[in-house]
Amino acid sequence: MNTADIRLVVLDMAGTTVADGGLVERAFAAAAADLGVEPGSAEHAEHLAYVRATMGESKISVFRHLFGDEERARRANTAFEKAYGELVDAGLIAPVPGAREAIEELTGSGRTVVLTTGFARVTQDAILDALGWRDLVPLTLCPADAGGRGRPYPDMVLAAFVRTKAAEDVTQIAVAGDTSYDVLSGVRAGAGLVAGVRTGAHGDAEFRAAGATHVLDSVADLPALITGTE
């Protein structure tokens, strides 16, 4: 496709536009401890491996898989969100270098940018506030904003398409993220450009297996790809 036709750009947050330095794993450890999973145990190691493999997926979905019943999953999710929020409040996140500039460049070229996450809204808002990004884009989405289904479902990408009305066709959407789940959600939504970025959880093999059209070192490289100035 002609990348210049892209009208809507849907970007992941943690690991893609936001550098969080492994805070997901630290917050998971707090959630696991809350449910009695001992650090250093085989169960803890098994759970952590699953968390790493499913980076990008809606966190409540991850906890439903790990802890089974809904009450325990919600308890774990609440503990996770609380721990992650405290780490954010402690100033332990920052923009990925060049991310804000990339978003501003894409917006300046007449395109609409939407930020999405697998976190709950309270955590997403904490990140936006910590970075001063509240007014950076016209729309931010978490799984609950798209009917409750996060990645790898295409719902958040399609919600961005419907709500912004920025594009006439799904092929005019670009999706970028640091996990195979970001890529898969873009592919399932029919996005014309789906890029994996090497600043987070997954790498080239996972991106290609999920159907990425491009693999980039960073989201900072996305404007040049879309505008054809690279």
Side-chain angles (χ1 to χ4, degrees), residues 180-197:
S180 59
Y181 287 79
D182 295 302
V183 170
L184 191 54
S185 70
V187 170
R188 287 176 170 178
L193 190 161
V194 184
V197 297

Side-chain angles (χ1 to χ4, degrees), residues 15-217:
T16 303
T17 54
V18 181
D20 71 358
L23 298 193
V24 168
E25 293 187 15
R26 290 174 61 177
F28 165 74
D34 191 68
L35 270 76
V37 180
E38 291 297 324
S41 67
E43 182 183 19
H44 189 277
E46 182 181 316
H47 284 191
L48 185 55
Y50 184 79
V51 168
R52 287 172 176 157
T54 57
M55 287 287 189
E57 185 178 348
S58 168
K59 292 300 172 278
I60 185 65
S61 297
V62 172
F63 289 125
R64 283 177 181 138
H65 175 89
L66 290 177
F67 297 111
D69 70 87
E70 186 69 12
E71 189 276 330
R72 279 170 58 81
R74 290 194 176 278
R75 182 175 150 196
N77 194 58
T78 298
F80 172 89
E81 299 286 355
K82 179 175 182 290
Y84 194 96
E86 288 172 352
L87 293 166
V88 169
D89 291 343
L92 297 179
I93 62 167
V96 165
R100 183 184 183 112
E101 293 80 2
I103 292 168
E104 291 173 339
E105 185 175 344
L106 289 165
T107 302
S109 69
R111 294 168 175 86
T112 299
V113 179
V114 174
L115 294 174
T116 64
T117 186
F119 296 136
R121 168 54 63 180
V122 62
T123 307
Q124 186 174 33
D125 284 347
I127 295 170
L128 293 168
D129 287 340
L131 298 179
W133 282 13
R134 278 284 191 172
D135 300 319
L136 184 59
V137 298
L139 180 66
T140 62
L141 296 170
C142 67
D145 299 324
R149 293 200 311 183
R151 309 179 196 107
Y153 296 101
D155 301 29
M156 287 195 290
V157 178
L158 295 176
F161 174 75
V162 171
R163 293 194 192 187
T164 63
K165 296 180 172 61
E168 296 179 358
D169 191 290
V170 290
T171 59
Q172 295 175 318
I173 304 173
V175 174
D178 68 303
T179 74
S180 59
Y181 287 79
D182 295 302
V183 170
L184 191 54
S185 70
V187 170
R188 287 176 170 178
L193 190 161
V194 184
V197 297
R198 301 182 178 114
T199 51
H202 295 160
D204 294 28
E206 291 97 334
F207 298 146
R208 295 299 186 193
T213 60
H214 298 78
V215 178
L216 304 174
D217 286 336

